[in-house]
């Protein structure tokens, strides 16, 4: 960028490296630039539906002061500031593959606008560079072209401004800044060094700096721009700004002005501090501010008395330094104050989660027993003395806490009824845990001898892997980079699971052979124990599988019923699943945009009733029409490109069918419950529900994610038919495997632990405008398609098995347990890490995801229970 | 189950450990700028060669009781060729597994393949030396209760520990410490090497510790 470099080096400019706070996505960054505040993550979630910026900001102040603002560029601005611009032309950033049109759209206005004189503020937001980054990374050859294009745009603007300045006397200011950086892969959103560093160049003929003094640019905060702009334009500083004035800008002004501006900024910051911190008077920043204010007063007095200039200058620099220090510490304590924790509410929430988890843990032996009964003894403790004492104590604590502190506490602000319910739940759960514990201790004393023999080592290698994997995953949640890369953890675990399954298959296969051959394979009981044997077997299995197909022989215990071709399938299927997973992993890394409509019909219509088959076919047709209408798929009968509807009709058409299928499924379930229609009706009903969900997913997913859906179905079929059925794994193992695969597919879809990857557009499929209920439901479903589909497959698989009476309950319990382990561990971890550097950038989005996942798990478990009730009614 | 046997095992294993350690020091005498992290690929080749050589020497010296029924030269050559083919197959197999685990498919092929080679050196070469190119024997050793001597037992332990080491070695890769050893194959190869060395060190001790419980049918 030769012209920009020239400007930076010539001296009539100030350049900085502005540090953006994560999340480094466009909207929060624009907010930070304009309001000077630090948007939290909850803001991101809350503002999904009302994107209008309500906080005080520079643009609002400018508009109120009668400045005429013109905006061209990213549409986000228009949504954030709908009424502030006298003229605007928003460009949608939806099609990332386009990087010329978006910029031409902005530049084409430039020529005329620069000639006109009817504006005060012109904002241009160019999207091309960001799109190139998303498309082909920061090292792409396109970047160079784009930068030189931007340089020419900058030159055009600067020259026009200079010629304008000749006419009018006021100097103009040209600000060149970025909202966020770009990581090594070209994306953004996280908190790496490349993403948070953005350029900030202020160019104006008002600045004087000795030329040739190209210092290294200073590091400043992105939020500082708002205060600087406000001062520069002669506007009030936005209310919630935590930024400091960029002091370099003031160099060259008379001392009086400098002090005046610093005083303005300090007053604004100290007001903000007073609003937010109860003990603001003790704050070092505030004390410094008071001192500097007093010094400032002295200086003014001297100034008015017209003392000698040297004394004035000395005192002035002293005041200046004092002000700068005060600003720094004020800004620091304000940024820290944003991370102020509501400990009481956090403690209540964490206690609830942990109690539920402890109760689940304690009831493992009972729930996984043959009877599979899980009766939470919630009712009996309701009458115990302990419960009432607890309740009374908690209530007293609640009242004390809520009346003593002045600062707002979320749990105090909820209605008394909700708080009371939480209290009752808290104490009832505690009592239940206590009673369970006493029961267990009593039981352990009685069965001391028996249990020792039982727990000698009843676990297979697969169980060890599953437990180790779960524990490992939970432990990995303590490290921020493992959270950022959680998908890697799941891919790794799923791959290992596949290899372990392969080992299992091979062992059953080849040991059967060797037994028949009479090789020394007797029942020797010797070390090494199974624990050591586990990876060895896996290793052996690896080798076996490499040489798989070396002949199939004799019958082993588990697959006597299988023919040789099927056995080959059994041997090959873990590898097929592995390959599938590897392909999927590549799919969403590179964002392959293959909009193929896959052939779901064959798989789907296998087990459903004829009626729902017709409905499904029609539904698929509808999905196809929808995709054609919004232009993902070329449809043969498309009449020109001008009638691009939003596909609302088509989407609604599909919704009707989805609802129809779900309805028939539920009807079948209910029928099997009321009349003794037998297991068949129930299975059919469950399958119909499953296929309805698949259909909905096919509608909502992004087009390039449809292969994920197809391979999910493929993997489910493979695993069910060739692994779980022949190898007769027990219910707990199958459940945990379903859970793992669900998690892996959650990430295969392209999700991550970053808010930026949630696909909000799914919430608008088939809706003309934002309707809260359906939009939230659809977005949640589209995000959690993987886990939900796998859970529904689990229900189907288990209920189609013959011995499904305790199985469903076991599965439900295991699912709840496996789902609650990470949640409860994570709550504790986050609480202890709440002063971690990455708490807002990494840990809190993950917490939101975990909370949502807990809700989904709860929904799934209630679905399980419903299916289980159907079983109960039948028997 | 005699102590001299265990002692021989211990010496053999110490020799192997020594060869791994030597492979980190000897090349720096002959090569300039040699270090494990920077010239990692060279080190991989050297280490693999050293360990293979030591294993072959051990095979020739310590355990010459190979099946001497048909010890014609052509048979020996055929056997050797078969071993080589098995070694190559295991290298390629490991490579495929690494790619399935998420190693890059096209870039860093050489690195991935050398990792496969060194893991094969730690696992397949001792197997080939001890058991020969005999799939059935391998299956027997690596099935649950199939070991027939302390040699096979230690083989089992070292193989497992090198594979588990490589598996665990993948964990630091996503961490953002930005250390030179977090680059793709290095942490895994180091993990495999540490696992191998640990297995070599542990197995004689473990066998010695459990010598009362261990009963082998053929001994």
């Amino acid at each position: 960028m030769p012209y920009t470099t020239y400007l930076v080096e010539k001296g009539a400019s100030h350049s900085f490296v502005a540090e953006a706070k994560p999340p480094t996505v466009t909207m929060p960054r624009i907010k930070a630039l304009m309001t000077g505040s630090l948007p939290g993550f909850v803001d991101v979630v809350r503002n999904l539906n009302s994107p209008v910026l309500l906080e005080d900001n520079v643009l609002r102040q400018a508009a109120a002061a009668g400045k005429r603002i013109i905006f061209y560029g990213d549409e986000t601005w228009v949504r954030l500031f709908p009424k502030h611009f006298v003229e605007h032309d928003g460009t949608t950033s939806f099609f990332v593959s386009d990087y010329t049109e978006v910029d031409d759209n902005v530049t084409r206005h430039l020529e005329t606008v620069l000639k006109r004189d009817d504006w005060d503020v012109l904002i241009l937001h160019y999207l091309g560079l960001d799109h190139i980054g998303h498309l082909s990374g920061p090292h792409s050859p396109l970047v160079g072209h784009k930068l030189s294009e931007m340089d020419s745009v900058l030159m055009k603007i600067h020259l026009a401004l200079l010629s304008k300045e000749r006419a009018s006397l006021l100097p103009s200011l040209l600000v060149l800044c970025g909202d966020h950086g770009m990581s090594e892969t070209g994306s953004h959103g996280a908190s790496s060094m490349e993403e948070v560093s953005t350029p900030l160049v202020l160019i104006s003929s008002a600045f004087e700096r000795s030329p040739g003094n190209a210092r290294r640019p200073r590091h400043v905060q992105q939020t500082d721009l708002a205060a600087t702009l406000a001062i520069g334009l002669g506007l009030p500083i936005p209310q919630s700004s935590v930024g400091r004035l960029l002091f370099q800008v003031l160099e060259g002004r008379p001392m009086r002005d400098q002090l005046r501006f610093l005083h303005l900024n300090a007053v604004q910051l100290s007001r903000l501090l007073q609003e937010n911190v109860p003990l603001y008077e003790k704050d070092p920043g505030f004390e410094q501010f008071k001192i500097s204010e007093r010094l400032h007063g002295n200086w003014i007095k001297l100034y008015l008395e017209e003392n000698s200039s040297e004394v004035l200058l000395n005192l002035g620099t002293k005041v200046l330094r004092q002000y700068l220090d005060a600003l720094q510490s004020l800004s620091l304590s304000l940024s820290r104050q944003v991370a102020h924790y509501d400990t009481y509410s956090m403690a209540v929430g964490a206690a609830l989660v942990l109690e539920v988890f402890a109760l689940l843990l304690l009831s493992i032996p009972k729930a996984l027993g043959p009877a599979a009964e899980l009766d939470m003894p919630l009712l009996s403790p309701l009458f115990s003395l302990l419960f009432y004492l607890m309740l009374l104590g908690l209530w007293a604590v609640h009242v004390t806490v809520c009346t003593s502190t002045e600062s707002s506490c979320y749990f105090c602000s909820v209605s008394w009824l909700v708080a009371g319910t939480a209290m009752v739940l808290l104490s009832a759960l505690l009592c239940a845990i206590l009673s369970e514990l006493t029961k267990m201790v009593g039981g352990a004393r009685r069965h001391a001898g028996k249990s020792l023999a039982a727990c000698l080592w009843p676990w297979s290698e697969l169980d060890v892997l599953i437990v180790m994997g779960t524990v490992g995953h939970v432990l990995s949640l303590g490290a921020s980079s493992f959270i950022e890369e959680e998908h890697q953890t799941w891919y790794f675990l799923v791959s290992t699971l596949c290899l372990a399954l392969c080992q299992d298959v091979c062992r059953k296969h080849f040991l059967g052979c060797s037994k028949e051959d009479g090789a020394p394979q007797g029942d020797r009981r010797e070390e090494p124990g199974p624990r050591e044997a586990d990876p060895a077997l896996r290793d052996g299995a690896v080798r076996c599988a490499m040489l798989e197909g070396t002949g199939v022989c004799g019958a082993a215990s588990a697959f006597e019923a299988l023919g040789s071709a099927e056995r080959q399938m059994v041997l090959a299927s873990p590898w097929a699943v592995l390959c599938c997973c590897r392909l999927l992993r590549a799919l969403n890394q590179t964002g392959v945009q293959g909009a193929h409509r896959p052939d779901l019909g064959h798989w789907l219509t296998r087990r459903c009733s004829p009626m729902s088959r017709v409905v499904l076919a029609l539904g698929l047709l509808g999905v196809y029409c929808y995709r054609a209408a919004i232009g993902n798929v070329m449809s043969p009968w498309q009449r020109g490109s001008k009638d691009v509807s939003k596909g609302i009709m088509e989407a609604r058409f599909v919704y009707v069918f989805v609802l129809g299928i779900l309805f028939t499924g539920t009807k079948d379930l209910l029928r099997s419950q009321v009349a003794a229609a037998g297991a068949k009706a129930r299975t059919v009903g469950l399958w119909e529900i499953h296929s309805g969900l698949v259909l909905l997913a096919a509608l909502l997913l992004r087009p390039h994610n449809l292969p994920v859906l197809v391979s999910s179905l493929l993997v489910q079929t493979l695993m069910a038919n060739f692994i779980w059925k022949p190898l007769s794994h027990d219910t707990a193992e199958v459940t945990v495997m379903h859970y793992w695969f669900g998690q892996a597919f959650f990430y295969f879809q392209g999700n991550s632990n970053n808010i930026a990857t949630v696909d909000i557009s799914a919430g608008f499929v088939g809706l003309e405008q934002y309707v809260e209920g359906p939009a939230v439901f659809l977005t949640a479903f589209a995000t959690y398609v993987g886990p939900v589909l796998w859970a529904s497959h689990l229900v189907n698989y288990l209920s189609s098995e013959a011995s499904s009476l305790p199985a469903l309950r076991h599965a439900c319990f295991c699912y709840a347990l496996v789902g609650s382990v990470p949640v409860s561990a994570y709550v504790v971890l986050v609480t202890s890490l709440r002063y971690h550097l990455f708490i807002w950038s990494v840990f809190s989005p993950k917490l939101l995801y975990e909370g949502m996942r807990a809700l989904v798990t709860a929904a799934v478990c209630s679905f399980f229970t419903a299916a289980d009730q159907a079983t109960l009614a039948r028997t | 189950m005699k102590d001299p046997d265990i002692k021989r095992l211990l010496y053999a294993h110490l020799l192997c450990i020594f060869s791994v350690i030597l492979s980190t020091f000897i090349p720096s005498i002959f090569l300039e700028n040699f270090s494990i992290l920077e010239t990692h690929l060279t080190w991989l080749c050297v280490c693999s060669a050293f360990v293979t050589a030591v294993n072959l020497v051990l095979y020739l010296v310590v355990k010459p009781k190979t099946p001497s029924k048909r010890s014609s030269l052509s048979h020996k050559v055929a056997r050797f060729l078969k071993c080589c083919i098995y070694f190559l197959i295991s290298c390629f197999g490991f490579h495929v597994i690494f790619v399935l685990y998420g190693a890059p498919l096209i870039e860093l092929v050489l690195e991935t393949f050398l990792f496969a080679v060194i893991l094969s050196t730690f696992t397949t070469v001792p197997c080939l030396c001890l058991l020969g190119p005999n799939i059935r024997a391998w299956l027997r050793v690596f099935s649950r209760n199939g070991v027939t001597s302390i040699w096979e037992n230690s083989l089992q332990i070292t193989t497992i520990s090198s594979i588990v080491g490589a598996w665990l070695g993948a964990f630091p890769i996503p961490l953002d410490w930005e250390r030179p050893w977090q680059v793709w194959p290095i942490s895994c190869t180091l993990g495999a090497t540490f696992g191998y060395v640990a297995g070599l060190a542990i197995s004689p001790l473990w066998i010695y510790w459990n010598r009362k419980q261990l009963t082998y049918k053929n001994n």
Side-chain angles (χ1 to χ4, degrees):
Chain A
M1 298 180 78
Y3 191 75
T4 318
T5 318
Y6 160 72
L7 280 180
V8 166
E9 283 173 357
K10 200 191 79 178
S13 68
H14 290 290
S15 47
F16 305 94
V17 173
E19 187 191 329
K21 286 268 186 279
T24 48
V25 283
T26 302
M27 194 178 71
R29 288 307 94 219
I30 292 176
K31 275 191 186 176
L33 280 173
M34 286 298 117
T35 64
S37 61
L38 301 168
F41 275 91
V42 181
D43 287 345
V44 178
V45 176
R46 271 188 197 151
N47 282 332
L48 282 184
N49 54 351
S50 74
V52 179
L53 189 55
L54 299 172
E55 277 176 88
D56 192 13
N57 57 65
V58 177
L59 284 190
R60 181 203 266 184
Q61 296 287 359
K67 307 262 187 221
R68 291 152 297 174
I69 310 170
I70 296 185
F71 173 77
Y72 302 116
D74 191 347
E75 220 178 25
T76 317
W77 285 78
V78 183
R79 268 185 278 135
L80 278 174
F81 310 103
K83 288 178 195 139
H84 298 46
F85 303 123
V86 290
E87 187 182 322
H88 61 78
D89 179 18
T91 310
T92 172
S93 70
F94 194 69
F95 301 106
V96 175
S97 52
D98 161 41
Y99 52 86
T100 47
E101 195 76 6
V102 280
D103 286 353
D104 291 345
N105 231 357
V106 180
T107 313
R108 69 189 159 127
H109 298 287
L110 215 52
E111 207 60 51
T112 51
V113 159
L114 286 178
K115 283 195 189 113
R116 280 159 33 189
D117 256 341
D118 58 343
W119 51 270
D120 302 298
V121 180
L122 170 66
I123 302 172
L124 306 174
H125 187 143
Y126 281 94
L127 285 167
L129 190 60
D130 184 40
H131 285 189
I132 289 175
H134 282 294
L135 204 64
S136 50
H139 303 297
S140 151
L142 297 169
V143 170
H145 293 293
K146 185 50 84 181
L147 285 182
S148 55
E149 183 193 329
M150 290 297 113
D151 193 45
S152 66
V153 168
L154 189 93
M155 181 160 85
K156 192 187 272 175
I157 299 173
H158 189 235
L159 293 180
L161 288 181
L162 284 182
S163 68
K164 251 183 208 194
E165 269 173 33
R166 256 170 252 136
S168 70
L169 285 173
L170 275 177
S172 51
L173 171 70
L174 176 56
V175 180
L176 171 70
C177 69
D179 52 349
H180 51 71
M182 191 189 287
S183 69
E184 272 302 301
T185 53
S187 66
H188 54 88
S191 52
S192 73
M193 198 56 206
E194 291 85 6
E195 283 162 277
V196 298
S197 310
T198 65
L200 173 61
V201 183
L202 305 176
I203 305 163
S204 170
S205 50
F207 300 150
E208 293 163 14
R209 225 179 63 189
S210 49
N213 185 12
R215 279 171 294 175
R216 281 176 61 82
R218 272 166 177 274
H219 280 258
V220 296
Q221 292 295 317
Q222 207 176 28
T223 45
D224 297 345
L225 182 64
T228 312
L229 275 184
I231 297 269
L233 294 173
L235 304 168
I237 300 175
Q239 208 172 13
S240 51
S241 156
V242 297
R244 293 179 281 151
L245 186 59
L246 297 173
F247 182 69
Q248 286 77 9
V249 175
L250 293 184
E251 279 172 5
R253 305 282 299 181
M255 181 64 85
R256 191 176 175 180
D257 286 0
Q258 290 188 6
L259 291 181
R260 166 87 190 123
F261 291 143
L262 286 174
H263 181 235
L264 275 179
N265 195 355
V267 166
Q268 178 259 334
L269 284 182
S270 62
R271 286 270 165 73
L272 193 61
L273 193 74
Q274 284 181 24
E275 277 170 25
N276 285 308
V277 183
L279 298 172
Y280 64 92
E281 277 160 357
K282 298 257 171 62
D283 194 272
F286 194 76
E287 283 167 4
Q288 275 175 333
F289 165 64
K290 282 293 166 204
I291 296 171
S292 34
E293 210 171 28
R294 213 175 310 127
L295 282 175
H296 190 186
N298 291 342
W299 188 85
I300 298 273
K301 224 176 275 168
L302 284 179
Y303 181 79
L304 291 179
E305 286 165 12
E306 295 185 18
N307 255 323
S308 69
S309 63
E310 192 157 330
V311 178
L312 265 182
L313 188 71
N314 281 343
L315 188 61
T317 23
K318 201 174 154 200
V319 179
L320 210 67
R321 217 173 300 130
Q322 187 70 33
Y323 260 128
L324 286 178
D325 286 349
L327 280 181
Q328 183 166 13
S329 38
L330 274 175
S331 182
L332 200 71
S333 54
L334 273 172
S335 329
R336 204 182 298 138
Q337 200 280 323
V338 174
H340 173 77
Y341 295 103
D342 179 2
T343 324
Y344 178 54
S345 317
M346 275 164 69
V348 171
L352 266 177
V353 171
L354 288 182
E355 281 184 0
V356 170
F357 178 59
L359 204 55
L360 277 176
L361 265 188
L362 283 178
S363 47
I364 284 179
K366 235 207 278 177
L368 289 188
E373 54 191 12
L374 179 66
D375 52 337
M376 289 292 170
L378 273 187
L379 206 62
S380 58
L382 273 183
F383 302 106
S384 69
L385 183 63
L386 182 67
F387 169 70
Y388 288 111
L389 282 178
M390 274 285 301
L391 192 60
L392 215 62
L394 282 175
W395 201 245
V397 168
H398 182 68
V399 169
T400 327
V401 168
C402 287
T403 49
S404 64
T405 50
E406 304 137 16
S407 66
S408 63
C409 161
Y410 175 73
F411 194 61
C412 294
S413 61
V414 298
S415 78
W416 287 94
L417 199 67
V418 178
T421 319
M423 297 282 166
V424 169
L425 207 59
L426 208 58
S427 35
L429 281 174
L430 191 74
C431 293
I433 288 173
L434 283 181
S435 73
E436 278 289 304
L437 261 182
T438 49
K439 246 187 258 172
M440 269 190 72
V441 170
R445 213 170 284 152
R446 244 178 290 134
H447 303 289
K450 223 198 285 173
S451 60
L452 251 180
C455 65
L456 198 60
W457 191 271
W459 288 4
S460 70
E461 300 84 17
L462 209 61
D463 293 333
V464 173
L465 173 68
I466 281 171
V467 170
M468 297 299 281
T470 311
V471 171
H473 168 238
V474 167
L475 287 183
S476 81
L477 289 180
S480 59
S481 22
F482 274 130
I483 292 179
E484 280 174 335
E485 306 283 322
E486 202 191 343
H487 54 283
Q488 302 281 13
T489 315
W490 284 112
Y491 298 163
F492 201 67
L493 282 180
V494 165
S495 305
T496 311
L497 180 70
C498 283
L499 283 189
L501 283 175
C502 189
Q503 166 258 323
D504 214 13
V505 169
C506 283
R507 196 185 53 198
K508 293 218 166 106
H509 181 85
F510 286 105
L511 287 197
C513 295
S514 48
K515 216 175 260 175
E516 200 177 58
D517 289 356
Q521 193 51 58
D523 43 359
R524 259 179 250 129
R525 280 261 145 245
E526 63 187 8
E527 299 298 332
R531 195 192 178 108
E532 274 78 18
D534 153 40
L537 284 171
R538 194 183 310 151
D539 168 52
V542 168
R543 266 195 222 103
C544 298
M546 274 189 278
L547 305 160
E548 99 190 35
T550 46
V552 183
C553 43
S557 60
F559 18 43
E560 66 271 358
L562 297 178
S564 76
E566 269 178 320
R567 273 196 183 204
Q568 299 276 13
M569 270 311 287
V570 170
L571 274 178
S573 55
W575 295 92
V577 172
L578 259 180
C579 292
C580 219
C581 291
R582 183 67 180 84
L583 286 179
L584 286 182
R585 176 200 279 232
L587 174 82
N588 255 323
Q589 259 174 3
T590 55
V592 179
Q593 302 270 345
H596 314 294
R597 195 185 68 86
D599 187 8
L600 296 175
H602 173 72
W603 182 85
L604 276 173
T605 51
R606 248 182 356 170
R607 287 208 226 173
C608 301
S609 57
M611 220 277 279
S612 65
R613 254 182 239 188
V614 175
V615 176
L616 251 183
L618 282 174
L620 273 180
L621 186 70
V623 171
Y624 183 69
C625 289
Y626 171 73
R627 295 276 178 202
I630 63 169
N632 281 333
V633 189
M634 286 300 291
S635 99
W637 58 86
Q638 198 149 27
R639 303 171 299 272
S641 59
K642 60 184 174 189
D643 57 339
V644 179
S645 69
K646 280 171 155 178
I648 288 173
M649 271 312 294
E650 287 86 347
R652 286 187 181 162
F653 183 67
V654 180
Y655 284 146
V656 168
F657 289 117
V658 169
L659 283 181
I661 292 173
L662 289 182
F663 176 71
T664 40
T666 323
K667 196 190 71 190
D668 277 344
L669 265 185
L670 286 178
R671 201 176 60 200
S672 78
Q673 190 171 357
V674 177
K680 197 164 174 298
R682 193 165 64 95
T683 318
V684 169
L686 284 175
W687 266 100
E688 276 163 355
I689 290 181
H690 187 53
S691 44
L693 290 180
V694 169
L695 191 57
L696 189 59
L699 178 70
L700 293 181
L701 281 181
R702 284 183 182 172
H704 73 271
N705 272 339
L706 287 180
V708 177
L709 185 63
V710 180
S711 26
S712 151
L713 300 181
L714 183 74
V715 170
Q716 283 172 358
T717 325
L718 273 179
M719 295 297 269
N721 284 346
F722 297 115
I723 306 272
W724 291 320
K725 255 178 215 167
L727 293 191
S728 55
H729 287 198
D730 82 27
T731 320
E733 289 169 350
V734 172
T735 311
V736 178
M737 284 188 232
H738 269 96
Y739 180 80
W740 283 19
F741 271 105
Q743 284 302 89
F745 274 90
F746 175 74
Y747 292 105
F748 284 143
Q749 263 170 261
N751 286 324
S752 68
N753 282 329
N754 195 331
I755 299 280
T757 51
V758 176
D759 179 18
I760 311 168
S761 62
F764 291 87
V765 172
L767 301 176
E768 302 215 34
Q769 76 240 358
Y770 183 84
V771 188
E772 183 155 2
V776 167
F777 171 75
L778 289 179
T779 313
F781 181 76
T783 313
Y784 286 90
V785 160
V788 168
L789 279 187
W790 277 90
S792 115
H793 181 261
L794 175 63
V795 179
N796 278 308
Y797 171 72
L798 287 179
S799 62
S800 67
E801 292 289 280
S803 61
S804 69
L805 181 59
L808 267 178
R809 265 186 257 167
H810 279 174
C812 179
F813 179 76
C814 287
Y815 202 86
L817 186 66
V818 174
S820 64
V821 167
V823 177
S824 35
Y826 194 68
V827 166
V828 175
L829 271 176
V830 163
T831 313
S832 58
L833 290 176
R834 65 187 179 280
Y835 296 111
H836 193 279
L837 184 59
F838 293 148
I839 185 73
W840 295 113
S841 56
V842 177
F843 289 104
S844 48
K846 172 69 183 159
L847 188 64
L848 286 178
Y849 271 105
E850 280 293 333
M852 195 58 219
R853 247 263 325 288
L855 279 184
V856 171
T857 312
V860 164
C861 284
S862 54
F863 180 48
F864 272 71
T865 320
D868 188 43
Q869 289 303 317
T871 324
L872 267 188
R874 191 168 45 108
T875 50
Chain B
M1 258 316 82
K2 289 148 282 176
D3 281 351
D5 245 3
I6 299 180
K7 211 171 260 176
R8 269 168 65 198
L9 181 79
L10 180 67
Y11 289 145
H13 280 190
L14 284 182
L15 207 57
C16 286
I17 296 176
F18 193 57
S19 77
V20 173
I21 295 171
L22 271 190
S23 72
T24 62
F25 288 115
I26 290 214
S28 57
I29 302 172
F30 300 106
L31 298 171
E32 280 176 32
N33 307 329
F34 177 85
S35 75
I36 293 185
L37 295 185
E38 276 154 37
T39 53
H40 189 68
L41 298 186
T42 328
W43 175 73
L44 281 186
C45 298
V46 171
C47 182
S48 167
F50 268 59
V51 172
T52 315
V54 167
N55 266 305
L56 285 178
V57 168
L58 281 178
Y59 165 71
L60 291 175
V61 174
V62 181
K63 201 167 171 289
K65 57 157 195 171
T66 38
S68 50
K69 286 172 274 179
R70 295 169 293 161
S71 55
S72 66
L73 188 66
S74 64
H75 181 252
K76 272 183 182 165
V77 169
R79 196 178 150 87
F80 181 71
L81 283 180
K82 220 173 167 186
C83 282
C84 289
I85 290 172
Y86 272 42
F87 180 71
L88 278 181
I89 289 177
S90 97
C91 288
F92 283 113
F94 275 126
H95 190 106
V96 168
I97 290 175
F98 297 152
V99 169
L100 286 180
Y101 257 82
L105 182 65
I106 295 164
E107 308 132 40
L108 301 176
V109 173
L110 189 64
E111 279 86 346
T112 312
F113 187 72
L114 281 180
F115 175 33
V117 167
I118 199 151
L119 195 56
S120 306
T121 314
F122 291 151
T123 56
T124 319
V125 169
C127 288
L128 284 171
C129 286
L130 199 64
L131 306 171
N134 181 356
I135 293 293
R136 216 164 281 292
W138 289 23
L139 282 176
R140 174 176 58 76
V141 170
F142 287 106
S143 59
R144 191 172 286 220
N145 302 313
V147 281
T148 55
S149 70
I150 54 167
W151 291 92
E152 287 176 2
N153 209 331
S154 69
L155 179 73
Q156 211 183 30
I157 293 173
T158 49
T159 311
I160 299 154
S161 56
S162 8
I163 286 184
V164 169
W167 192 77
L168 290 176
F171 278 93
I173 292 179
L175 290 171
D176 57 355
W177 300 339
E178 318 236 327
R179 295 295 152 85
W181 46 266
Q182 281 179 307
V183 189
W184 149 233
I186 296 181
S187 64
C188 285
T189 49
L190 290 185
T193 315
F194 283 130
Y196 178 61
V197 171
L200 286 176
I202 287 170
S203 61
L205 299 178
W206 190 82
I207 290 170
Y208 181 74
W209 200 256
N210 290 309
R211 64 192 187 283
K212 295 276 156 50
Q213 286 90 5
L214 294 173
T215 50
Y216 301 112
K217 238 175 203 175
N218 294 9
N219 267 16

